[in-house]
C-alpha cells in the first residue's frame, strides 16, 4: 500500500460583489486593483480611518480640518457619496487583495496558503521511528528511508509518497527485529547499517541487496556508513574505529590507530589539566561532507573530533557548566565550526577560527533562541542561505533567517504528534524532518518567505 500526501492548492479568490455602480466585467488582478484603488482611498477617508502619507499624499488625517479634507477627496474622486457607500465591499476587497489578505478569514495569504513543512503519511503502522534518509546524489527524486521495526521504504517522487521495501536475504520475522539506523548512496551504490549489528550493500540502486559479514573482532558496532564510490565506503563504529573498503566490504582498512577508549585512557594518564573529565563512552558519531568526524560522550561532559590524516581522536572539554545535549557541524563543514546544545535549552556556535587540532577547550558564543527550557535536539543549515532550523523538545521547530542571530518558532508545526529529533538538508530545496511515531515532514520551498 502506498501512502499519499494530502495537499491543498492555495488560490486567491475574487468573489463577485453585487453593487449598483461598478462595472462587473471580468478583469485581471492588476486592472481590478487599479480600478478600485481610488474607491478604496476615498472610502477609508469617508470612514475616518487613519491613512498613511503614502496612500493619500498631501492629507493629514490627524488635523482639525480633516472633515474638509474628506469632502475634498470625495469631490476629486468624481463620484457621489451614494456611489461611494455602494462600493464599500468592493473597495475593501481590493485593499485586502493588495495586502495579500484573505478577505473572508482576515489572515494573510502566506500564512493560510503555505506551511513551512508538510506532513508525509507513511504507509503501514505509525509505531516506527524514522532514523535516516538518503537520496541518490544529483537526483532528489529517488530516495530511501530506514527506521525501527525493520522499516525500509523507497520514493521516486522526491519524498511525497513512500513504498515499503524488504531485504531479500532477511526473513520477514527477523527483519522486524532490526533497527536500521543509517543509509548512504553514491549513484547506484548503497549501504545500510543497523542493530543488532548488520551491514547491507546494493550495487543496482536497491533492486537487490547482499549482507556483508562483519568481523567478530570489530571494535564496537557500526554506527555510520558513507558510500564513497563503486564498491567503496567508509564505516565508523561506536568505539571510534574508522575503516574504508574498496572491494564491496570484503576487506577493510583502519584509518585511526586506536579506539576512543584507548585515546581517553592515554589522555587521562598524561596528566593534562582537565583530562579527568575525559571518561565514559560516546553516544553519537557524526560525519561532515569532507569526511571529518564528531563524537559526543554519553555523559555530556566532553566531545571528540577527528579529521582525515590524523592518527588519533582529539578530546575537547565543554566550555560551559551545563552538560552537552547534542552537537553538529555548521554548514556540514568542520572548517566552518561546530554548534552545541546544552541541557535546559542552551545553544551556542563555536567562535570563528577555533583550533580543533589541539585538545584545548574551544570557546562557543551563546545563541538567543529562548526555547522555554526545552532541549534542542538538532540544528540544520540550509545550504547557500542564512536559514537555520532547530528541532526543540516537545515536537516543535524553530527557524532563523540570519545565520542564527535571531529565532522564531515555526507555528506551522505545532501538533506533529511526537518528538522531531533530526533535520536533513540534501540541497537548498530538499529537506526532511524525522521523528518518532512515524513522523516525517517535508520542507516546502515556497514557504521560505512566509
Amino acid at each position: 500500500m502506498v501512502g499519499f500526501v494530502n495537499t491543498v492548492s492555495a488560490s486567491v479568490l475574487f468573489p463577485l460583489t453585487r453593487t449598483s455602480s461598478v462595472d462587473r466585467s471580468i478583469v485581471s488582478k492588476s486592472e481590478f486593483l487599479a480600478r478600485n484603488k481610488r474607491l478604496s482611498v476615498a472610502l477609508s477617508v469617508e470612514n475616518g480611518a487613519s491613512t498613511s502619507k503614502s496612500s493619500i499624499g498631501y492629507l493629514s488625517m490627524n488635523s482639525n480640518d480633516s472633515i474638509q479634507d474628506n469632502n475634498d477627496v470625495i469631490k476629486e474622486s468624481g463620484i457621489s457619496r451614494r456611489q461611494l457607500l455602494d462600493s464599500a465591499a468592493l473597495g475593501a476587497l481590493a485593499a485586502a487583495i493588495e495586502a495579500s489578505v484573505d478577505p473572508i478569514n482576515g489572515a494573510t495569504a502566506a500564512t493560510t496558503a503555505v506551511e513551512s513543512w508538510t506532513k508525509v503519511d507513511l504507509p503501514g503502522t505509525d509505531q516506527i521511528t524514522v532514523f535516516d534518509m538518503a537520496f541518490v546524489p544529483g537526483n532528489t527524486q529517488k530516495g530511501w528511508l530506514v527506521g525501527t521495526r525493520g522499516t525500509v521504504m523507497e520514493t521516486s517522487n522526491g519524498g511525497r509518497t513512500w513504498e515499503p521495501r524488504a531485504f531479500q536475504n532477511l526473513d520477514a520475522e527477523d527483519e522486524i527485529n532490526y533497527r536500521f539506523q543509517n543509509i548512504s548512496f553514491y549513484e547506484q551504490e548503497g549501504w545500510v547499517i543497523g542493530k543488532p549489528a548488520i551491514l547491507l550493500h546494493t550495487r543496482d540502486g536497491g533492486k537487490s541487496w547482499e549482507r556483508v559479514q562483519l568481523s567478530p573482532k570489530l571494535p564496537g558496532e557500526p554506527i555510520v556508513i558513507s558510500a564513497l564510490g563503486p564498491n567503496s565506503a567508509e564505516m565508523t563504529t561506536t568505539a571510534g574505529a574508522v575503516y574504508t573498503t574498496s572491494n564491496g566490504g570484503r576487506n577493510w582498512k583502519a584509518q585511526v590507530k586506536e579506539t576512543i577508549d584507548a585515546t581517553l585512557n592515554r589522555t587521562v594518564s598524561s596528566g593534562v589539566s582537565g583530562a579527568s573529565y575525559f571518561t565514559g563512552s560516546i553516544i553519537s558519531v557524526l560525519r561532515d561532507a569532507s569526511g571529518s568526524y564528531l563524537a559526543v560522550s554519553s555523559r555530556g561532559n566532553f566531545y571528540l573530533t577527528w579529521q582525515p590524516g590524523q592518527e588519533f581522536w582529539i578530546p575537547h572539554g565543554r566550555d560551559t557548566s551545563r552538560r552537552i545535549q547534542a552537537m553538529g557541524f555548521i554548514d556540514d563543514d568542520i572548517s566552518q565550526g561546530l554548534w552545541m546544545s546544552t541541557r535546559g535549552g542552551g545553544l551556542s556556535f563555536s567562535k570563528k577560527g577555533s583550533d580543533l587540532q589541539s585538545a584545548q577547550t574551544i570557546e562557543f558564543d551563546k545563541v538567543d533562541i529562548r526555547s522555554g527550557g526545552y532541549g534542542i535536539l538538532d540544528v540544520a543549515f540550509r545550504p547557500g542561505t542564512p536559514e537555520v532550523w532547530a528541532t526543540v523538545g516537545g515536537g516543535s521547530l524553530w527557524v532563523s533567517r540570519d545565520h542564527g542571530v535571531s529565532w522564531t518558532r515555526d507555528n506551522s508545526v505545532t501538533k506533529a504528534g511526537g518528538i522531531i529529533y533530526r533535520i536533513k538538508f540534501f540541497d537548498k530545496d530538499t529537506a526532511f524532518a524525522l521523528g518518532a511515531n512515524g513522523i516525517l515532514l517535508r520542507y516546502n520551498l515556497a514557504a521560505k518567505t512566509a
Side-chain angles (χ1 to χ4, degrees):
M1 178 179 179
V2 180
F4 294 91
V5 183
N6 295 323
T7 59
V8 179
S9 176
S11 303
V12 179
L13 302 179
F14 296 87
L16 294 177
T17 303
R18 185 176 297 277
T19 64
S20 59
S21 58
V22 179
D23 182 8
R24 297 188 183 90
S25 60
I26 298 176
V27 296
S28 66
K29 178 180 175 180
S30 59
E31 293 173 327
F32 180 83
L33 294 175
R35 182 179 298 179
N36 292 285
K37 186 172 183 180
R38 203 173 185 183
L39 290 175
S40 301
V41 172
L43 178 64
S44 64
V45 176
E46 171 65 12
N47 290 335
S50 177
T51 308
S52 66
K53 183 176 181 180
S54 60
S55 299
I56 299 184
Y58 61 89
L59 282 182
S60 173
M61 296 306 298
N62 296 321
S63 62
N64 294 329
D65 56 349
S66 59
I67 296 178
Q68 181 62 43
D69 289 336
N70 292 355
N71 293 330
D72 292 342
V73 171
I74 295 174
K75 290 178 182 180
E76 290 182 9
S77 67
I79 60 174
S80 67
R81 188 180 299 272
R82 171 73 177 210
Q83 290 173 313
L84 178 66
L85 294 176
D86 286 344
S87 304
L90 193 56
L93 178 60
I97 295 173
E98 187 171 24
S100 296
V101 173
D102 184 337
I104 298 175
N105 300 317
T108 61
T111 302
T112 60
V114 182
E115 295 182 341
S116 300
W117 300 85
T118 299
K119 185 176 181 180
V120 179
D121 293 326
L122 297 177
T125 178
D126 60 357
Q127 301 302 314
I128 65 170
T129 297
V130 181
F131 277 132
D132 198 16
M133 293 179 60
F135 282 88
V136 176
N139 181 8
T140 53
Q141 295 299 304
K142 178 77 168 178
W144 295 75
L145 67 76
V146 293
T148 57
R149 300 176 62 84
T151 298
V152 54
M153 299 184 189
E154 182 182 10
T155 182
S156 298
N157 58 10
R160 293 173 178 83
T161 59
W162 296 83
E163 188 169 345
R165 299 299 188 207
F167 297 119
Q168 301 91 331
N169 51 357
L170 294 179
D171 294 333
E173 294 182 357
D174 292 334
E175 189 170 359
I176 197 173
N177 296 320
Y178 282 99
R179 298 174 54 184
F180 298 123
Q181 298 174 298
N182 193 220
I183 183 170
S184 179
F185 266 85
Y186 179 91
E187 296 181 350
Q188 297 297 302
E189 202 91 9
W191 300 80
V192 172
I193 59 175
K195 283 188 175 182
I198 188 173
L199 176 61
L200 300 165
H201 177 219
T202 180
R203 295 181 175 89
D204 54 14
K207 295 178 181 178
S208 62
W209 295 80
E210 63 179 353
R211 184 169 182 172
V212 179
Q213 295 300 318
L214 295 171
S215 171
K217 297 181 180 180
L218 184 71
E221 297 181 344
I223 190 172
V224 176
I225 189 74
S226 301
L228 303 178
N231 288 315
S232 300
E234 185 174 86
M235 178 178 65
T236 309
T237 73
T238 53
V242 181
Y243 296 95
T244 58
T245 181
S246 58
N247 58 9
R250 290 194 298 273
N251 303 102
W252 297 86
K253 181 179 180 181
Q255 304 299 305
V256 184
K257 283 191 173 183
E258 62 184 17
T259 64
I260 286 179
D261 283 344
T263 297
L264 295 178
N265 290 335
R266 179 171 50 79
T267 304
V268 170
S269 61
S270 67
V272 175
S273 176
S276 59
Y277 287 98
F278 300 149
T279 58
S281 59
I282 59 173
I283 193 173
S284 67
V285 178
L286 299 173
R287 183 184 190 272
D288 75 353
S290 67
S292 297
Y293 284 89
L294 170 67
V296 181
S297 78
S298 58
R299 296 170 57 186
N301 53 338
F302 69 94
Y303 62 96
L304 305 98
T305 57
W306 180 84
Q307 299 181 52
Q310 293 179 341
E311 296 183 346
F312 313 104
W313 287 80
I314 300 178
H316 307 273
R318 66 179 192 268
D319 72 334
T320 173
S321 60
R322 294 183 179 271
R323 293 188 179 274
I324 301 171
Q325 171 123 16
M327 292 188 69
F329 301 101
I330 295 177
D331 290 325
D332 197 26
D333 185 353
I334 196 171
S335 66
Q336 298 301 312
L338 305 173
W339 63 264
M340 175 192 294
S341 69
T342 52
R343 305 291 172 85
L347 179 64
S348 56
F349 294 167
S350 64
K351 290 183 177 295
K352 296 291 186 180
S354 298
D355 181 15
L356 294 173
Q357 302 288 336
S358 68
Q360 296 180 353
T361 300
I362 305 300
E363 294 185 3
F364 284 71
D365 292 324
K366 291 184 179 180
V367 173
D368 187 18
I369 191 170
R370 300 185 182 182
S371 64
Y374 286 100
I376 297 169
L377 308 180
D378 192 24
V379 176
F381 297 78
R382 184 169 175 238
T385 75
E387 189 172 306
V388 189
W389 287 86
T391 64
V392 178
S396 64
L397 296 179
W398 289 63
V399 61
S400 170
R401 313 283 184 186
D402 51 13
H403 295 285
V405 176
S406 60
W407 294 80
T408 57
R409 180 173 176 171
D410 181 47
N411 293 322
S412 69
V413 183
T414 54
K415 296 181 179 180
I419 296 176
I420 303 170
Y421 62 89
R422 190 177 186 186
I423 298 177
K424 292 196 70 172
F425 272 95
F426 297 95
D427 58 31
K428 188 178 69 171
D429 304 333
T430 307
F432 289 83
L434 291 59
N437 300 329
I439 293 175
L440 181 64
L441 306 178
R442 182 172 178 269
Y443 181 70
N444 291 326
L445 176 63
K448 68 184 181 70
T449 57

